[in-house]
Amino acid sequence: MKPSPAASAPAGHGPASAPVDLLRRLRARGAGDPVTHVERVPARAGVPAPWPPWAPTELRAAFARRGVVAPWRHQAEAATLAYEGGHVVVATGTASGKSLAYQLPALATLLADPRATVLYLAPTKALAADQLRAVAELELDGVRPACYDGDTPRAEREWIRRHSRFVLTNPDMLHHGILPGHAQWSGFLRRLAYVVIDECHTYRGVFGSHVAHVLRRLRRQCARFGATPVFVLASATSGDPATAAGRLTGLPVTAVTEDASPRGGVTFALWEPPLLPPDSGSSSPVPPQATGDHDDLHQVRRSALRETADLLADTVSEGVRTLAFVRSRKGAEVVAANARRALDDAVPGLGDRVAAYRGGYLREERRELERALLHGDLLGLASTNALELGVDLVGLDAVLICGYPGTRASLWQQAGRAGRSGQEALAVLVARDDPLDTYLVHHPEAIFGAPVEATVLDPANPYVLTPQLACAAAEAPLTPADLALFGDGAKEAVDELVAAGALRQRPTGWYWRHRERPDVDLRGEGGAPVCVVESSTGRLLGTVDGGSSHFLLHPGAVYLHQGVSYVVDELDLADGCALVHAEEPDWSTHARDVTDLSVVSVRSYVDAGPVGMFLGEVDVTSQVVSYQRRRIATGEVIDTRPLDLPTRELRTVAVWFTLSPQSLTAAGVQTSDVPGALHAAEHAAIGLLPLMATCDRWDIGGLSTALHPDTEAPTVFVYDGHPGGAGFAERAYGTASAWLRATRDAIAECGCETGCPSCVQSPKCGNGNNPLSKPDAIRVLDVVLANLPT
């Protein structure tokens, strides 16, 4: 869905329609008007095209039985490019029918060649399961579609390898299962005609860089078996999709971007929760650690989670089928629990029609929730971005987005979940107490008048390239010809592996020396998932990624699952297991960490007199050292308890700026206030960087100091939270003036007096948001902007 700037309307003004009427009722239920802007995205008629002449009659008839009488123009264009052997990415809006663009050439080839095969990759199991349903419902003889992922019973895997001709999987299974077992898959790979990469815009940062090399490993194995498959990619609307798809696959890719599908109108509201009285800031029963909307002083605005929960209850009570997107797993649980409670208070039993949905649920739970929403048994679902992608949830009336999801591409993808049957729909972005959210709801042109971001990934990252080359060598010896496939830096990475004793060089190539395979985490999350197990029963409740386990599963942490609260008894990092017991404490937990940073090298810098702007490599050392327990009802700190968890080390890429002490003094920043000024500027800069790069604040970290030993000056660092970097710091360095200007404006325009979560306080601050100086942060950024070239 591409918004039209010309469609902008003042808040409260727009065409009379069911979504507008619903929005009017929602905004009238509280004191004051929380809506800062309403955007009308108009309906659009579709442009059909004739079936391509190569499409077999049997396939046309199968699509006709599903109600597809003809393709839209962009579907026919992309399908024909792929059928003729070209690699293609179709980058159009949500619900534009991208699946037909790859199903048509792939299935036509399977029907014409009884030996051909197709591999489909999706970033989530839910999307793969949805596509399996769609292909199976066509009832085409001989296709035999099947999902092959971590949930596939072992008894079925051999049959799939031997007999399925349309295998649906994900990059993790391709990496961990199919490519290491390529000998067992030789028949399938030898006949591979198409590789479909769905929702390819999700492959960004370190994860996208890893997937890029997994695809190169796939191309390498196919070539060994004599196959050269065509790659067909589907993406949400994004900036420069051809370049991003080419970087992902390593191949020249043609983009189809003109969306010819019909679309129902969308009323899109920006919603800012109301200010709370100073003495009631922590009165919300929403656990603060689940919201990201807390601080050690007071809650300035009503929690976005609480606001979303109330909106979800209101829409469900009106019979409006609603999907609420929440950024965290805990947040999704809290929104569902609070909405259920409110509905049951109004009509006993009505709360049963609301549920939570997130990653970490068992397969059976996920499938049942999808079925219940599709069939109307559920009216409201609070979900993480696990349901952002192409799962076909027909019939939704409204989408609530709890907090900006990090990119405009994701925002429009989530909003597009509503109105998928062509009807009018409502989308509401509920702002968190966060610098970026606050900036966006008061600068709607940054959402509706700006192009969608380009996907950022860096396959040359040595922390990605080196382990991926190790995986490739473990699958088959590397040859000099292979190095060109893996791109810049491959020879240096191979030499490093040889020096480390991982590879042995022989005249025929480089050989993997160990019996066990390399252990490589595609998602850069800091290790394998940690299982959450109930102590008394041994029941597996779910999983948490390794990178988050120190914060979410430390001993004493409160863990939520399906609205039930548990307390962690023990975290065994070696075995990847956390033991918990059911408990409903009246407190929440908040992990605290300490961080140290040293500069390794400088890649580039700008000398701007009293200001310096730098890009380079840094070493970051961090450790979770304690956690606070806080009363849920009041936010009161009960106590701080120590933790003994291992230190984590990270070499990554950072952007940083320095200022001379004299320039700060001249700007009116007293020496005693410099730490608080820099700290506040650091928090706000981290919060606003997602405006410039395809990341969110949890992808990046920061450090500020009045005198850093490596720079010998007051310094603010912002670094990528992934080994080797993910491209975010480079983007910040390249757009430094615009980035820091938006940061300065966000602080200055905030209505608070001394600083709040909407401007300079951070939910991830290891120092408890202390010290902070809002007015001095503005002065610091004024000095930087006055001297930094635009």
Side-chain angles (χ1 to χ4, degrees), residues 299-320:
Q299 181 88 39
V300 174
R301 290 195 177 275
R302 194 164 189 260
S303 161
L305 282 187
R306 185 64 181 204
E307 197 83 345
T308 302
D310 286 354
L311 288 171
L312 180 60
D314 288 342
T315 56
V316 168
S317 68
E318 295 205 15
V320 176

Side-chain angles (χ1 to χ4, degrees), residues 141-312:
D141 290 338
V143 172
R144 298 186 292 275
C147 273
Y148 189 89
D149 57 31
D151 293 335
T152 305
R154 295 202 171 273
E156 297 178 14
R157 296 189 179 190
E158 177 64 23
W159 183 93
I160 293 172
R161 285 194 294 265
R162 290 181 176 272
H163 301 292
S164 176
R165 299 175 61 219
F166 197 119
V167 173
L168 301 99
T169 187
N170 53 64
D172 301 273
M173 182 55 82
L174 180 60
H175 165 63
H176 289 293
I178 295 175
L179 289 175
H182 57 82
Q184 297 173 298
W185 287 88
S186 60
F188 182 90
L189 296 175
R190 184 175 289 111
R191 304 189 300 271
L192 189 59
Y194 289 94
V195 177
V196 176
I197 305 174
D198 208 352
E199 306 290 0
C200 67
H201 63 282
T202 61
Y203 301 125
R204 63 175 179 85
V206 168
F207 180 42
S209 303
H210 272 293
V211 172
H213 287 297
V214 172
L215 296 176
R216 285 157 175 77
R217 287 161 49 201
L218 173 64
R219 290 173 52 206
R220 177 174 177 251
Q221 290 300 331
C222 289
R224 292 180 67 237
F225 292 120
T228 54
V230 171
F231 281 74
V232 187
L233 301 94
S235 171
T237 303
S238 65
D240 200 1
T243 298
R247 189 174 294 127
L248 185 64
T249 61
L251 295 163
V253 179
T254 301
V256 174
T257 59
E258 188 174 343
D259 192 338
S261 65
R263 182 190 61 208
V266 177
T267 299
F268 203 136
L270 304 183
W271 186 291
E272 186 174 40
L275 288 166
L276 293 173
D279 60 349
S280 64
S282 300
S283 61
S284 168
V286 177
Q289 90 279 10
T291 70
D293 295 337
H294 66 270
D295 61 88
D296 287 343
L297 304 174
H298 58 273
Q299 181 88 39
V300 174
R301 290 195 177 275
R302 194 164 189 260
S303 161
L305 282 187
R306 185 64 181 204
E307 197 83 345
T308 302
D310 286 354
L311 288 171
L312 180 60

Side-chain angles (χ1 to χ4, degrees), residues 320-322 374 392-398 417-421 423:
V320 176
R321 199 175 303 186
T322 307
L374 285 168
D392 192 12
L393 299 175
V394 176
L396 294 181
D397 305 304
R417 293 296 97 187
R420 289 176 66 85
S421 294
Q423 75 271 28

Side-chain angles (χ1 to χ4, degrees), residues 625-679:
V625 295
S626 64
Y627 70 98
Q628 284 186 344
R629 296 192 306 160
R630 301 181 194 169
R631 298 282 181 201
I632 291 176
T634 65
E636 170 197 357
V637 176
I638 301 172
D639 57 20
T640 299
R641 299 189 172 191
L643 290 170
D644 183 19
L645 291 171
T647 298
R648 291 184 165 181
E649 297 181 353
L650 173 71
R651 175 162 291 187
T652 186
V653 178
V655 58
W656 65 94
F657 62 82
T658 61
L659 306 96
S660 70
Q662 295 82 2
S663 68
L664 292 176
T665 300
V669 182
Q670 301 299 316
T671 302
S672 60
D673 294 329
V674 169
L678 298 176
H679 195 195

Side-chain angles (χ1 to χ4, degrees), residues 13 39 104 161 294 323 462 503 571 614 630 753 759 762 768 789:
H13 295 80
E39 188 84 6
L104 188 56
R161 285 194 294 265
H294 66 270
L323 181 60
L503 296 183
L571 172 60
F614 298 84
R630 301 181 194 169
E753 292 185 8
C759 57
S762 170

